[in-house]
């Protein structure tokens, strides 16, 4: 059987307290009062630890939910930004492609003219 942190602390506190009280040179009534006080203090401390663990679990849960929400919002905004950029960039990209095609055609024309010119010079020689 697996004991939780609180159960282990309570068990250890009880055993340690009982051992300490049995080894003291005080009267039985004094020991009972000391034991009662020790148990009350230990119970308060265990309850405090339990409350802190619950608070920690709650904080982790809240942080996880906020992280998921933030990731969802970020993803949505990023998709919108990419779509907007694509929409705005499409005409520019088309113009760049047209200019690249025109430039390629011009280079081919110049190459053909140079080749024709070179062929004419070699046949004239």
């Amino acid at each position: 059987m697996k004991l939780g942190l609180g159960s282990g602390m309570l068990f250890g506190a009880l055993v340690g307290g009982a051992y300490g009280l049995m080894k003291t040179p005080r009267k039985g009534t004094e020991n009972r009062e000391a034991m009662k006080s020790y148990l009350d203090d230990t119970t308060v401390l265990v309850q405090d630890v339990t409350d802190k663990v619950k608070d920690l679990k709650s904080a982790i849960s809240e942080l996880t939910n906020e992280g998921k929400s933030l990731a969802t919002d970020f993803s949505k905004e990023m998709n919108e930004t990419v779509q907007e950029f694509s929409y705005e960039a499409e005409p520019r990209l088309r113009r760049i492609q047209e200019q690249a095609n025109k430039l390629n055609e011009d280079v081919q024309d110049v190459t053909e003219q140079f080749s024709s010119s070179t062929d004419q010079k070699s046949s004239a020689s």
Side-chain angles (χ1 to χ4, degrees):
M1 183 169 102
K2 186 175 179 181
L3 293 177
L5 175 66
S7 299
M9 288 178 61
L10 182 60
F11 180 74
L14 289 174
V15 170
Y19 178 78
L21 289 174
M22 284 191 250
K23 294 295 184 175
T24 62
R26 292 180 281 192
K27 294 181 183 178
T29 55
E30 291 175 353
N31 282 342
R32 283 190 292 274
E33 285 297 319
M35 172 90 81
K36 183 179 181 297
S37 176
Y38 184 77
L39 287 176
D40 289 342
D41 291 345
T42 303
T43 302
V44 169
L45 291 174
V46 168
Q47 185 61 45
D48 187 44
V49 168
T50 303
D51 291 343
K52 297 296 183 193
V53 168
K54 286 179 184 177
D55 291 345
L56 179 62
K57 285 181 181 180
S58 175
I60 289 171
S61 176
E62 186 176 328
L63 182 62
T64 301
N65 291 336
E66 287 180 16
K68 287 178 183 177
S69 175
L70 185 64
T72 301
D73 291 347
F74 177 76
S75 176
K76 182 180 175 184
E77 287 179 17
M78 191 57 97
N79 284 334
E80 290 173 358
T81 301
V82 167
Q83 288 176 352
E84 184 178 317
F85 176 77
S86 296
Y87 177 75
E88 289 176 1
E90 186 178 342
R92 293 180 185 134
L93 292 173
R94 198 171 341 131
R95 278 183 277 168
I96 291 171
Q97 185 63 45
E98 289 170 0
Q99 290 175 356
N101 290 341
K102 173 85 169 103
L103 184 60
N104 194 19
E105 290 172 6
D106 290 346
V107 167
Q108 287 177 352
D109 290 345
V110 168
T111 304
E112 288 173 7
Q113 288 175 359
F114 182 72
S115 294
S116 301
S117 163
T118 307
D119 289 342
Q120 289 175 358
K121 286 182 184 179
S122 9
S123 35
S125 314

